[in-house]
Amino acid sequence: MKINQNYNKLPHNYLFTEIALRTEKYIKTHPTQKVIKLGIGDVTQPLSPVIANAMKQAVEELTKKETFRGYGPELGHVWARQSVADYYKNEMNVVLDIDEITIGDGIGEDLANITDLFNHGGNTVVIQDPVYPLYQSTTLMDSNDIIYVPCNEANGFLPTPPDSHSDIIYLCSPNNPTGAAFNFSQLKAWVDYALENNAIILFDAAYERFTSNNDCPRSIFQIEGARNCAIEFGSLSKTAGFSCIRSGYTIVPNDLNRDGMNLLRMWQQRQTTKYNGANYITQRGLEAALTPQGLKDADRNIAYYHHNAGLITSMLKEKGLFFTGGESSPYVWLKCPNGMKSWDFFQYLLDTVQVIGTPGVGFGPSGEGYFRLSAFNSTEQTIEALERLDTIL
Ligand code: MLT
């Protein structure tokens, strides 16, 4: 038996696990202190009634002999995939064949599982730095090599492709944690680079609905050539409040081929073998979330989170601290004051004002000295956190 020693290359705990453990430890030793969490990007606004009713009705169906169901199709119900296709057509003018869409349990899961299509070892993977830490961890687990492309103040947190060859490219736009979103020509440069290198872009579109900037594509398939080099991942966690329900979708164009293999066919084989399909109740929820009423309710929640982000950025402006984000994303990315390191600032905020954020270095080496505040908490909690921060910044 050969164990996967690559796990030794990972940080001791995954970023959000480490934060949760440190928070838990603090609460245990300071039981009277009230901790406010602006750390992990977790939603707080309740489900839209249209989604809740669709899910309740789905449960009702399962209680009756006539409408009871067993296993569903592993790749997702046709009506659920059609609702994703309609969303892309109506919102982004992107035409998808429903066979290109699969319904899954969330973006993190599919972003990790897609790596089954690529050789473990021997691939060079481009990762924005900083970015959602899952890409780095899965690449290390798979024994592939990483090229970090720094996202910093000098390039407006929007890097250009590297000069050297790569095989797999993770892009997240609008970016988690910086909130920077590629415009059409910047994303086209990445598509051109991928095509030249015969590489595949794994495009994380979790925050596409948070941008209202028409200069920024919400889907990579709005870029010419992307169907020949990209796979896109979408999520209902942050828009429809599905972070505990779990639902997302993956789009693999049917003409995406490499080394004589068709990637859609491979993904379908992977999913029908290793996955029994998203649950029926959740898929009814997804279908409802993508109706006009579901989307209207999502936009109301997004406006609420944007309002919180505005409160955070106003305070940072007043304090004269560098920040970015908060406009095309629910996160504000700030520079730690007085040259503090990310984890030191985390501990300082926890010890002095009991506010939790996310240390920037957890998103990649270029995140050192930065810090992320999430706008997903309630407005009341956000205001209370800001009042506390005001006393020490
Ligand atoms: C985060 O960056 O806070 C993530 O969105 C959490 C997650 O979805 O895993």
Side-chain angles (χ1 to χ4, degrees):
M1 188 274 287
K2 308 269 185 301
I3 201 85
N4 187 349
Q5 294 284 351
N6 293 302
Y7 278 64
N8 285 320
K9 300 177 193 163
L10 303 178
H12 184 60
N13 285 316
Y14 187 61
L15 176 61
F16 297 109
T17 313
E18 180 65 30
I19 292 173
L21 288 172
R22 289 192 190 209
T23 309
E24 211 177 291
K25 190 174 157 205
Y26 183 87
I27 292 172
K28 264 202 190 124
T29 49
H30 302 80
T32 56
Q33 301 279 27
K34 181 183 157 204
V35 169
I36 301 182
K37 296 181 183 173
L38 306 183
I40 190 166
D42 200 5
V43 288
T44 52
Q45 292 306 290
L47 276 191
S48 147
V50 76
I51 298 172
N53 288 337
M55 294 177 82
K56 282 182 204 162
Q57 196 185 322
V59 174
E60 276 303 308
E61 282 175 35
L62 300 183
T63 65
K64 296 187 188 75
K65 203 170 171 195
E66 304 72 44
T67 46
F68 177 77
R69 290 161 180 267
Y71 288 118
E74 294 93 341
L75 304 177
H77 284 280
V78 166
W79 38 262
R81 297 154 82 187
Q82 185 64 53
S83 60
V84 174
D86 292 344
Y87 178 68
Y88 271 73
K89 178 76 191 78
N90 299 337
E91 299 269 329
M92 296 164 241
N93 203 22
V94 169
V95 177
L96 299 172
D97 187 316
I98 66 161
D99 288 340
E100 300 176 317
I101 300 165
T102 56
I103 308 295
D105 291 337
I107 203 163
E109 290 83 338
D110 277 11
L111 272 161
N113 293 337
I114 199 83
T115 60
D116 277 4
L117 273 51
F118 308 112
N119 213 39
H120 293 181
N123 277 311
T124 300
V125 181
V126 167
I127 297 182
Q128 285 165 292
D129 167 28
V131 86
Y132 186 40
L134 174 136
Y135 318 153
Q136 178 195 313
S137 295
T138 50
T139 303
L140 293 174
M141 285 174 185
D142 293 350
S143 196
N144 285 326
D145 298 324
I146 297 179
I147 300 178
Y148 287 111
V149 284
C151 310
N152 48 36
E153 290 168 54
N155 60 20
F157 298 93
L158 291 166
T160 49
D163 296 331
S164 53
H165 170 82
S166 67
D167 305 295
I168 299 165
I169 303 155
Y170 283 99
L171 293 181
C172 178
S173 181
N175 176 277
N176 172 14
T178 68
F182 289 116
N183 66 25
F184 279 85
S185 65
Q186 288 163 334
L187 195 54
K188 176 83 169 75
W190 279 96
V191 167
D192 290 346
Y193 166 81
L195 291 171
E196 277 158 26
N197 284 273
N198 217 21
I200 296 290
I201 296 176
L202 303 176
F203 190 77
D204 178 345
Y207 299 96
E208 52 84 9
R209 208 170 175 82
F210 283 78
T211 183
S212 50
N213 184 345
N214 291 332
D215 294 336
C216 300
R218 288 170 53 192
S219 164
I220 197 164
F221 298 122
Q222 289 172 286
I223 306 289
E224 199 190 332
R227 287 186 58 87
N228 293 112
C229 65
I231 297 175
E232 182 158 302
F233 303 82
S235 168
L236 295 184
S237 290
K238 323 287 172 174
T239 50
F242 275 44
S243 61
C244 76
I245 297 171
R246 309 305 306 149
S247 186
Y249 45 85
T250 291
I251 299 158
V252 186
N254 54 29
D255 32 12
L256 191 57
N257 300 304
R258 288 294 182 275
D259 276 352
M261 307 279 281
N262 179 269
L263 273 71
L264 175 58
R265 173 82 191 116
M266 288 172 74
W267 176 239
Q268 290 171 338
Q269 281 178 315
R270 193 261 170 225
Q271 291 296 81
T272 50
T273 307
K274 292 194 180 181
Y275 178 62
N276 272 354
N279 85 63
Y280 173 67
I281 302 157
T282 299
Q283 291 192 65
R284 283 297 183 199
L286 170 141
E287 184 188 34
L290 297 177
T291 59
Q293 186 59 49
L295 293 171
K296 201 169 153 198
D297 292 345
D299 287 342
R300 200 192 44 236
N301 287 349
I302 289 172
Y304 178 91
Y305 298 133
H306 270 143
H307 172 70
N308 291 345
L311 297 173
I312 298 172
T313 55
S314 300
M315 196 270 295
L316 295 173
K317 244 183 238 159
E318 246 174 59
K319 297 284 171 190
L321 286 177
F322 173 87
F323 70 87
T324 186
E327 277 173 8
S328 288
S329 80
Y331 303 121
V332 179
W333 182 246
L334 62 117
K335 206 173 203 167
C336 304
N338 308 319
M340 272 175 111
K341 290 191 157 189
S342 302
W343 276 110
D344 293 341
F345 190 55
F346 172 88
Q347 202 57 47
Y348 174 63
L349 294 191
L350 181 55
D351 290 337
T352 54
V353 289
Q354 294 76 50
V355 172
I356 302 289
T358 307
V361 72
F363 295 99
S366 296
E368 182 57 283
Y370 288 86
F371 201 71
R372 192 192 76 176
L373 291 174
S374 159
F376 278 124
N377 210 325
S378 67
T379 300
E380 296 74 25
Q381 293 282 287
T382 305
I383 290 173
E384 191 178 336
L386 294 174
E387 283 167 358
R388 295 185 192 184
L389 290 170
D390 187 48
T391 62
I392 55 149
L393 289 179

